[in-house]
Amino acid sequence: MDDRTIAPRDMSRLEKTSARLRSQIACLGLVIERIAGLSGPVFELGLGRGRTYDHLRWHMPGRDIYAFDREIVPIEDCRPPEECIVAGDLAVTLSRYAARFAGQVALANCDLGSYRQAHNEHMAALISPYLPQAVAPGGFVCSDLPLVLEGFELLPLPEGAVEGHYRVFRREGN
Ligand SMILES: C[S@@+](CC[C@H](N)C(=O)[O-])C[C@H]1O[C@@H](n2cnc3c(N)ncnc32)[C@H](O)[C@@H]1O
């Protein structure tokens, strides 16, 4: 492969990023509306620069949002309060927080993907077993990665979301 060869895929990196962000906003919009009557914290898995975290707190003021990442490097004005930062590898932190908030989490938003397929498969397999424990009946998981979640249904995407770039799962019950 020389410098000008592009590995096969269905769109450019820029288009992929745009599709993911548009889909994330549309899916979170749907879920934010649907959890208005459901108490319980939100988990933001993959704080990154804190843009999605900022979106969540903007649209759900007053809700406890626990932000997980192995590197805590948000944009300065997107930093969660210290007591809501969960620093460390999800392989260690998620099982602890899933047990602490068992059956209470109204929404777990998972934004953990990278350009590496092996990483994505590893993360999907790592988090899938813990989310059913954490999420409340009638609660939601949104994810950029395909997950296998026992006891959840995959919902049709809302308008504005692009198939394959974000997903909404609802836990059965209530
Ligand atoms: C796509 S970025 C998240 C972007 C973020 N939503 C934002 O608005 O800026 C993915 C994040 O997942 C984190 N991450 C990846 N693997 C992880 C792991 N095993 N444990 C904890 N965090 C991880 C990375 O450090 C990275 O910040």
Side-chain angles (χ1 to χ4, degrees), residues 10 30 37 41 50 69 90-91 108 111 113 129 143 149 152:
D10 56 354
L30 169 80
D69 210 299
L90 282 159
D111 190 12
S143 177
L149 300 175
F152 284 71

Side-chain angles (χ1 to χ4, degrees), residues 44 46-52 69-71 88-90 111-113 119 123:
E44 162 69 342
L47 171 66
R49 302 292 284 150
R51 293 159 289 207
T52 312
D69 210 299
R70 57 188 172 191
E71 273 186 294
D89 198 300
L90 282 159
D111 190 12
L112 293 164
H119 167 85
M123 292 314 295

Side-chain angles (χ1 to χ4, degrees), residues 32-158:
I32 287 166
E33 222 177 270
R34 293 199 44 191
I35 64 169
L38 191 64
S39 62
V42 166
F43 281 4
E44 162 69 342
L45 305 186
L47 171 66
R49 302 292 284 150
R51 293 159 289 207
T52 312
Y53 166 77
D54 185 59
H55 187 74
L56 294 170
R57 72 176 174 182
W58 184 272
H59 290 284
M60 293 184 286
R63 178 94 60 170
D64 285 339
I65 304 171
Y66 289 87
F68 297 69
D69 210 299
R70 57 188 172 191
E71 273 186 294
I72 305 300
V73 285
I75 299 163
E76 205 178 331
D77 72 353
C78 297
R79 191 179 178 89
E82 289 308 311
E83 66 274 18
C84 289
I85 294 178
V86 187
D89 198 300
L90 282 159
V92 176
T93 57
L94 187 56
S95 61
R96 289 210 331 259
Y97 275 73
R100 177 175 166 193
F101 291 105
Q104 297 175 45
V105 173
L107 162 66
N109 178 55
C110 312
D111 190 12
L112 293 164
S114 78
Y115 295 112
R116 288 176 299 118
Q117 186 57 22
H119 167 85
N120 293 346
E121 286 171 13
H122 172 70
M123 292 314 295
L126 176 71
I127 66 174
S128 287
Y130 296 110
L131 296 173
Q133 182 188 7
V135 174
F140 292 84
V141 171
C142 291
S143 177
D144 62 334
L145 302 177
L147 304 176
V148 179
L149 300 175
E150 203 174 311
F152 284 71
E153 61 168 329
L154 183 61
L155 301 189
L157 287 177

